[in-house]
Amino acid sequence: MELSKQQTDYTKGIAIAMMLCLHLFNKDYQGLFAPSLFIGSQPLSYYFSLFCDCCVCIYCFCSGYGLYITYQNKPTTFVSSNRKRLLKLYLNYWLVLLVFAVVLGTILGKSAQYPGSWSTFIYNFISLDSSYNGAWWFISCYALLVLLAPVIFNLLEKANPYLVLIGTFVLYAIGYYARIKIPVISETEFIQLLWHQAYMLANSIFPFVIGAMAFRNQWFSAWIKRIQSWSNPNLILLVLIGLLVVAHGFVPSLFVAVFTGIAFVFLFNGLQLSTAVQRALAYLSTHSTNIWLIHLFLISSFAQSWSYAPQQPVLIYVWVLGCCLLISHLINWIYLPLQRYLFTNRIDQ
């Protein structure tokens, strides 16, 4: 009763959908869109976006969970499969970067920023910087997690896993403090970029390790056995998810995102989903990487007023998501054949 690859893919897709909500509605709505529902002085959409700040933690958890399964089942090919995983991600990333930051940036008269100077282009190309698109900071962070995974998992096998968990939580707290209190330490661009990478990685290792431990200790099996005894588990789980949203509204600190995110993973994956919902999530998960890579270009950089044209939050979300999916299909029209060619005829040989 542990999570299947399909379920972790669904959950990653949900995390990317949450990222879209976070970036759409975590800002001053005045002059941008016209919400109708308010709680106090804030629109209801703000509280949903606030809860969605756990999206990265959810993605890290699922990555740690899935990679640990691969580490145990295919230890001899783990490093090579990780290399291929990262090459595919960067191929997708570089394609989006060239289309949006180089071609469209130049066409739309934004060449001073897109692509900007050669150093800006190179730093973004190697994912050390995310000045083209703020959501891209996680590219290098994810790559580092994947590269560090054999070391982290070996440590979990040989050391006391709960001491590892405590150690990574301390690292999480230090990273959070650095992110909030001392985000800048140098005027030298390269050193500052490395510092940013360091504290963001420190924030990401903790949920990654929890994901690995969840599979190692079979936490989902115990959880599913427990909720199977409930009379109406779907209703209870949905109520608990709603309470998580409310609780985060009372405690808006980003520090708690790791806990709300992990709680959401367990609650969401306890739900019995209809076939239609599963198909929708499967479709979303196949486009989640492209949604992650392109959505900020629409809502912040190139087409902000156009993205918020529907004015109402639900309509805005559906509109932007639909546009992202359409663009994703166009990107995949180039990316998928290129990936098949490179990884079937070149890299695999």
Side-chain angles (χ1 to χ4, degrees):
M1 288 187 289
E2 289 300 302
L3 293 182
S4 65
K5 184 180 184 305
Q6 187 180 52
Q7 285 175 297
T8 55
D9 286 344
Y10 290 170
T11 310
K12 285 182 179 179
I14 290 290
I16 299 301
M18 293 171 77
M19 179 182 290
L20 179 58
C21 179
L22 170 66
H23 291 154
L24 275 170
F25 305 120
N26 69 338
K27 55 189 71 177
D28 185 3
Y29 67 92
Q30 295 182 357
L32 196 58
F33 60 101
S36 299
L37 299 176
F38 285 78
I39 297 178
S41 61
Q42 292 287 358
L44 181 62
S45 58
Y46 164 78
Y47 293 99
F48 283 108
S49 74
L50 180 65
F51 176 73
C52 289
D53 65 8
C54 63
C55 55
V56 171
C57 295
I58 292 173
Y59 201 96
C60 290
F61 178 97
C62 292
S63 298
Y65 190 96
L67 286 173
Y68 192 77
I69 294 174
T70 306
Y71 175 78
Q72 288 203 327
N73 294 341
K74 299 178 181 178
T76 58
T77 60
F78 184 66
V79 173
S80 61
S81 65
N82 282 352
R83 177 177 65 90
K84 186 182 295 186
R85 178 180 289 106
L86 290 179
L87 286 172
K88 288 181 179 179
L89 172 62
Y90 272 89
L91 178 64
N92 198 165
Y93 168 61
W94 287 330
L95 177 60
V96 172
L97 183 149
L98 290 173
V99 170
F100 280 85
V102 177
V103 177
L104 285 180
T106 302
I107 291 173
L108 296 174
K110 295 178 177 286
S111 57
Q113 182 179 359
Y114 306 102
S117 67
W118 274 107
S119 63
T120 299
F121 175 78
I122 291 170
Y123 282 146
N124 277 274
F125 189 82
I126 64 175
S127 71
L128 185 60
D129 192 10
S130 57
S131 60
Y132 288 163
N133 185 312
W136 289 358
W137 70 265
F138 188 63
I139 296 283
S140 55
C141 189
Y142 174 76
L144 289 171
L145 287 174
V146 172
L147 293 173
L148 289 171
V151 177
I152 295 171
F153 297 159
N154 187 55
L155 191 61
L156 284 174
E157 296 282 349
K158 294 185 177 180
N160 185 320
Y162 290 97
L163 288 179
V164 176
L165 189 65
I166 293 170
T168 54
F169 173 72
V170 172
L171 197 61
Y172 173 80
I174 293 171
Y176 178 82
Y177 180 84
R179 181 178 181 180
I180 302 301
K181 298 296 185 180
I182 44 174
V184 179
I185 64 167
S186 175
E187 293 182 359
T188 304
E189 184 179 18
F190 183 71
I191 294 174
Q192 179 56 37
L193 290 174
L194 290 179
W195 173 243
H196 179 266
Q197 294 288 334
Y199 64 69
M200 297 307 281
L201 178 62
N203 275 178
S204 303
I205 290 179
F206 180 52
F208 184 84
V209 167
I210 295 177
M213 286 189 64
F215 178 76
R216 186 178 187 274
N217 296 340
Q218 305 288 286
W219 288 346
F220 273 100
S221 296
W223 168 243
I224 296 300
K225 287 179 182 178
R226 177 177 293 274
I227 66 175
Q228 282 177 342
S229 64
W230 298 352
S231 59
N232 194 337
N234 266 21
L235 177 61
I236 296 173
L237 291 168
L238 289 171
V239 168
L240 290 174
I241 291 173
L243 290 175
L244 271 182
V245 177
V246 173
H248 198 17
F250 282 105
V251 186
S253 172
L254 181 62
F255 186 81
V256 304
V258 66
F259 304 108
T260 57
I262 292 166
F264 176 82
V265 172
F266 279 86
L267 294 172
F268 171 75
N269 284 287
L271 293 169
Q272 295 296 314
L273 303 175
S274 68
T275 302
V277 171
Q278 290 183 46
R279 288 176 179 171
L281 290 175
Y283 173 71
L284 180 64
S285 67
T286 61
H287 294 277
S288 59
T289 299
N290 282 330
I291 295 171
W292 163 25
L293 295 175
I294 67 178
H295 72 279
L296 277 184
F297 282 116
L298 296 182
I299 67 179
S300 296
S301 303
F302 294 161
Q304 186 179 70
S305 59
W306 179 76
S307 296
Y308 287 94
Q311 289 296 294
Q312 289 298 315
V314 173
L315 297 178
I316 292 168
Y317 187 88
V318 173
W319 167 242
V320 174
L321 178 60
C323 292
C324 287
L325 290 169
L326 176 60
I327 295 170
S328 178
H329 279 288
L330 296 175
I331 291 170
N332 285 344
W333 184 68
I334 303 171
Y335 167 68
L336 293 178
L338 184 60
Q339 183 204 96
R340 284 193 293 268
Y341 174 75
L342 289 175
F343 287 87
T344 301
N345 300 323
R346 302 288 181 180
I347 293 175
D348 285 346
Q349 291 181 358

